[in-house]
Amino acid sequence: MRFASLGSGSQGNALIVEAGTTRVLLDCGFSVRSTCQRLARLGLQAEQLSAILVTHEHGDHLAGVFSLARLHGLTVYLTHGTYMASARHRLAAACCRIIDGQHAFVIDDLEIQPYPVPHDAREPVQYRFTDGRHYLGVLTDTGTVTEHIVDTLRACDALVIECNHDRDLLARSRYPAVLKQRIAGRYGHLANEQAADLLCQIDVSRLQHLVAAHLSEENNRPELAVRALAQALGCAEEWIETADQQTGFDWRQLN
Ligand SMILES: [Zn+2]
Ligand SMILES: [Zn+2]
């Protein structure tokens, strides 16, 4: 199993997970054209995708989903709440499959476990992937780390974890107070120290890859996110990668 990012942040998100010949796109917050350019950087074409999974209806995750799906005949997997909330963007010809936000399902060589997260969307979920040998946990767009999140992500071999903001930078930023409250609130986004605290609560002994994702370009700096996570793990900062808005991150292989 291997994974890569097409880009990550408030301007758009998309992650790709591959096992054998199965390749699923997790969210697509970019235009079709931009998505195809980003896929090409990873040596892929949209025709090689197996399906699209959606976490929630916010534009930075949904913008390109239905046009890409329609263009390439891909099935879109999403919760009922996300399906209802995305009615405006949905295109008649795009094929949707409603998932239960608590129950695992299989797409060819990948087993996918959705899990609910507290975020200000209709029925947001995040996902954990396995090819039967390794586990990849993805967590972005959550305001709080719940016990259920800790339980789902314990003992993963790779983690992509939101480090949205540094609390001090957010407090001092030019954002209006109401937006600051939304971001820092229970249904907003994870701060660096919340992500670090999550790492302290799970078994990281199998961890081969750790990527900080969904960083705010206004309210965070890659070095702050990396420092917080490295301190929590007691590892070298070089070992931790950050996903950025323009380039995401290159393929990471699980062995
Ligand atoms: Zn987002
Ligand atoms: Zn969101």
Side-chain angles (χ1 to χ4, degrees):
M1 183 160 65
R2 60 177 190 161
F3 61 102
S5 167
L6 277 60
S8 176
S10 53
Q11 304 302 313
N13 295 274
L15 185 91
I16 184 144
V17 184
E18 178 186 281
T21 54
T22 307
R23 288 177 205 92
V24 300
L25 190 65
L26 173 58
D27 291 329
C28 186
F30 305 106
S31 68
V32 169
R33 188 169 169 198
S34 175
T35 302
C36 291
Q37 288 167 348
R38 289 162 190 263
L39 282 170
R41 276 205 309 253
L42 297 168
L44 288 180
Q45 295 179 318
E47 296 77 52
Q48 294 171 282
L49 297 174
S50 311
I52 306 177
L53 308 183
V54 179
T55 56
H56 64 298
E57 68 271 22
H58 290 161
D60 56 323
H61 300 262
L62 194 76
V65 166
F66 295 108
S67 359
L68 190 72
R70 187 173 61 168
L71 210 55
H72 296 284
L74 299 164
T75 301
V76 179
Y77 290 73
L78 71 184
T79 63
H80 186 255
T82 303
Y83 177 83
M84 296 305 285
S86 61
R88 264 189 319 128
H89 306 277
R90 245 177 13 242
L91 301 164
C95 172
C96 292
R97 188 162 302 175
I98 305 293
I99 58 161
D100 180 320
Q102 311 257 14
H103 284 109
F105 57 96
V106 172
I107 301 176
D108 301 325
D109 294 329
L110 278 172
E111 185 183 293
I112 298 150
Q113 175 68 60
Y115 62 100
V117 291
H119 188 57
D120 51 6
R122 187 84 164 260
E123 192 186 352
V125 289
Q126 292 290 323
Y127 296 93
R128 187 190 65 194
F129 301 85
T130 183
D131 60 354
R133 289 178 62 217
H134 296 109
Y135 286 89
L136 161 66
V138 178
L139 175 67
T140 69
D141 299 77
T142 184
T144 319
V145 172
T146 62
E147 268 183 50
H148 186 59
I149 292 175
V150 171
D151 202 46
T152 306
L153 297 182
R154 77 174 62 255
C156 281
D157 302 274
L159 287 170
V160 176
I161 300 283
E162 169 166 58
C163 288
N164 178 261
H165 58 278
D166 171 85
R167 280 185 171 140
D168 293 334
L169 286 183
L170 178 64
R172 285 190 268 127
S173 90
R174 58 190 175 83
Y175 279 19
V178 63
L179 183 55
K180 290 182 186 182
Q181 280 161 20
R182 192 221 136 209
I183 293 169
R186 282 186 54 75
Y187 298 93
H189 290 277
L190 279 195
N192 295 339
E193 54 187 82
Q194 287 173 290
D197 186 55
L198 166 64
L199 294 178
C200 295
Q201 296 181 63
I202 59 178
D203 175 6
V204 292
S205 60
R206 289 167 53 171
L207 205 56
Q208 296 180 29
H209 303 282
L210 176 60
V211 182
H214 213 305
L215 271 72
S216 164
E217 290 181 311
E218 285 276 339
N219 305 315
N220 210 353
R221 306 275 175 274
E223 58 272 23
L224 295 176
V226 166
R227 191 182 308 154
L229 299 187
Q231 277 174 3
L233 284 187
C235 71
E237 293 186 2
E238 295 73 39
W239 192 75
I240 295 167
E241 178 153 25
T242 52
D244 84 7
Q245 187 67 77
Q246 283 314 312
T247 54
F249 58 86
D250 203 357
W251 289 110
R252 298 216 139 203
Q253 178 82 38
L254 282 158
N255 297 306

